[in-house]
Amino acid sequence: MNCLLRLALSLLLVLPLIACNEEEIIQNLKSERASLQARVDSLNAQIASAEALVRNVRVIRDTVRAGEGPFHLFTRLKAQVSHGEEDLGRVYAAMQDSVEFKLRVGEIFYVSVDSTNRVQRFRYAPNPITVHLVSKTDTGFVYKLVEKPVVKKQSVYEGALEEGSTLNGILFKVGIPGRMVGIVSGVLQCKVAFPLARAGDRFRVLLEDSYYQDSIWVGGKVIYAEFDGRIVGHHEAFRYEDEDPKSSYNAHYTEAGDALVFDGLRYPLEHLRITSSFGSRIHPITGQRKVHYGVDYGAPAGTVVHAVAEGNVTVSGYDDLSGNKIAIKHRDNSVSWYMHLQSRGVAVGAKVSPGQAIGRVGSTGRSTGPHLHFGFKDANGAWINPLSKTMIATPKLEGARLARLKKQVAEIRKQIELTQAAPAVKANDTTDVMVHMRVVE
Ligand SMILES: [Zn+2]
């Protein structure tokens, strides 16, 4: 009895509460409906006005052709709209301080015009994430930069060379963009003698890719590359960045600050035929021992001679022994020498680029026939075997830059650790390369 009474009492108390709640809910729903209705009305109005605009707008598109600059493109666009000279002149003026036109063949420009064929809007998108918009407003043409959000992903790829495989081959198979594969092998090549790499040698790379809309690849960086070989040893490359994104120091370095810029030497002649190599030899007639401080390449008189690396011409002259001779001092203070030339094409003080033509093969000075005597002095001025010189060393990072590198190395090691904490999956079916991936922003 007591129990039933209690139940009845509690029901009496609860029922009005339910009724009260429901009324409140209904009120809330009604006001929500009203605000949604207002939103729908406003959207309808916006759609109607946008539709009216679209009905009257025509879009003109034009494509950049080979050898064209902004001038050509604007000239063509001006001819297609009314008041083109005036309107497109203003469009250009509105963005000239903000936009750098580096036109590529196939890029598309859009101009929308109203029913009177006057320009309303100009659109230039140099890549999927950057859009330069110039729109007509009541106060004239206004420039706006629209940058679409980009997602950055870091991936660590790790694996080992297999019998008969190369690092390049494996990275290509995995589907890493060719430009990045080139960077990985380019920086490692400075330290790793790849012909001595063996099956089982391990590698690891950290890449950072940027994507638009989660799937459109817009760019990538090689942040880290590592190779650990039985014969070639352990080598690491770190991506260093100055504050200035255009700094020439932005490159890959070892942890100690040695730049890993592959700067292999070019050949002085297009076809190489060694007629006399470097070192000591006994003269066939006199029997005297003589040292040959260079390599002789046989070539017809008049064959073009090329600078083997970038440098400054320190000698361009003649003597009775060497004939016409040229010396080029390189960045690492080594000097390449070219002798017995028929003619010289560069003067002392000239800056030459790798592969630049500097003269022609001849037989001037003490020479029995047309050939190029090619020599190399190291930074201390000693003659070395030119065939042993394969690259020009790059300078080291020092002082504040070296300190900055150390910080970035620590940061990169942390990024590798974080990325490797993500689960490993097989990069694809054709290799055993594993990849860990994480979104960084
Ligand atoms: Zn010689």
Side-chain angles (χ1 to χ4, degrees), residues 276 281 292-296 340 371-374:
S276 175
R281 62 184 173 190
H292 186 221
Y293 293 108
V295 170
D296 288 344
H340 310 304
H371 76 284
L372 173 70
H373 174 99
F374 176 59

Side-chain angles (χ1 to χ4, degrees), residues 324-385:
N324 277 314
K325 58 184 178 180
I326 291 169
I328 299 170
K329 189 172 195 163
H330 305 290
R331 194 178 45 220
D332 62 354
N333 288 322
S334 66
V335 181
S336 56
W337 287 82
Y338 313 79
M339 297 177 187
H340 310 304
L341 302 174
Q342 179 185 77
S343 59
R344 291 178 275 117
V346 287
V348 171
K351 189 173 155 54
V352 296
S353 49
Q356 185 178 326
I358 53 168
R360 289 181 184 277
V361 169
S363 188
T364 56
R366 193 181 294 173
S367 167
T368 51
H371 76 284
L372 173 70
H373 174 99
F374 176 59
F376 236 110
K377 276 184 176 175
D378 67 15
N380 302 317
W383 290 110
I384 57 168
N385 184 350

Side-chain angles (χ1 to χ4, degrees), residues 78-371:
K78 280 173 184 174
Q80 297 179 66
V81 301
S82 73
H83 299 82
E85 197 65 42
E86 184 191 337
D87 286 356
L88 284 169
R90 285 184 186 158
V91 164
Y92 187 75
M95 63 181 167
Q96 64 179 358
D97 293 336
S98 319
V99 182
E100 193 184 356
F101 285 97
K102 282 188 184 164
L103 302 190
R104 290 191 312 272
V105 173
E107 266 181 340
I108 301 169
F109 283 71
Y110 297 91
V111 173
S112 39
V113 293
D114 64 10
S115 52
T116 65
N117 206 29
R118 296 282 302 254
V119 174
Q120 297 298 307
R121 206 172 219 206
F122 175 92
R123 182 182 188 276
Y124 166 47
N127 59 55
I129 53 164
T130 313
V131 182
H132 302 291
L133 269 185
V134 179
S135 310
K136 194 175 192 174
T137 67
D138 297 340
T139 55
F141 284 100
V142 174
Y143 166 78
K144 188 172 142 198
L145 170 66
V146 182
E147 280 182 295
K148 299 187 179 173
V150 161
V151 174
K152 283 187 181 168
K153 287 178 193 164
Q154 285 193 345
S155 325
V156 169
Y157 290 87
E158 51 181 348
L161 297 192
E162 290 153 36
E163 208 57 60
S165 70
T166 63
L167 179 61
N168 262 5
I170 290 179
L171 296 181
F172 271 120
K173 261 194 199 169
V174 166
I176 295 170
R179 201 182 59 80
M180 288 162 93
V181 173
I183 292 171
V184 170
S185 61
V187 300
L188 287 175
Q189 201 171 353
C190 296
K191 293 286 173 192
V192 177
F194 278 114
L196 296 176
R198 294 289 179 261
D201 287 359
R202 297 201 61 81
F203 65 86
R204 191 161 60 139
V205 292
L206 172 65
L207 308 180
E208 186 175 280
D209 295 289
S210 303
Y211 295 88
Y212 164 57
Q213 285 184 347
D214 219 37
S215 59
I216 301 166
W217 187 81
V218 288
K221 273 189 218 173
V222 176
I223 295 180
Y224 172 82
E226 178 188 39
F227 196 87
D228 195 1
R230 197 152 47 87
I231 302 169
V232 299
H234 180 233
H235 301 279
E236 291 178 297
F238 299 86
R239 169 83 195 168
Y240 168 83
E241 274 170 21
D242 263 344
E243 228 159 297
D244 174 7
K246 284 180 182 164
S247 166
S248 63
Y249 287 94
N250 295 349
H252 294 85
Y253 294 83
T254 65
E255 191 166 10
D258 293 318
L260 297 172
V261 180
F262 185 70
D263 203 353
L265 291 185
R266 310 292 180 90
Y267 297 112
L269 300 172
E270 223 161 284
H271 301 284
L272 298 180
R273 181 166 60 84
I274 296 177
T275 53
S276 175
S277 44
F278 183 89
S280 100
R281 62 184 173 190
I282 293 167
H283 194 275
I285 294 155
T286 65
Q288 269 184 316
R289 185 171 286 276
K290 274 193 76 179
V291 181
H292 186 221
Y293 293 108
V295 170
D296 288 344
Y297 290 117
T303 304
V304 174
V305 175
H306 303 274
V308 294
E310 181 189 84
N312 291 302
V313 177
T314 50
V315 175
S316 177
Y318 182 92
D319 72 62
D320 292 341
L321 203 66
S322 313
N324 277 314
K325 58 184 178 180
I326 291 169
I328 299 170
K329 189 172 195 163
H330 305 290
R331 194 178 45 220
D332 62 354
N333 288 322
S334 66
V335 181
S336 56
W337 287 82
Y338 313 79
M339 297 177 187
H340 310 304
L341 302 174
Q342 179 185 77
S343 59
R344 291 178 275 117
V346 287
V348 171
K351 189 173 155 54
V352 296
S353 49
Q356 185 178 326
I358 53 168
R360 289 181 184 277
V361 169
S363 188
T364 56
R366 193 181 294 173
S367 167
T368 51
H371 76 284

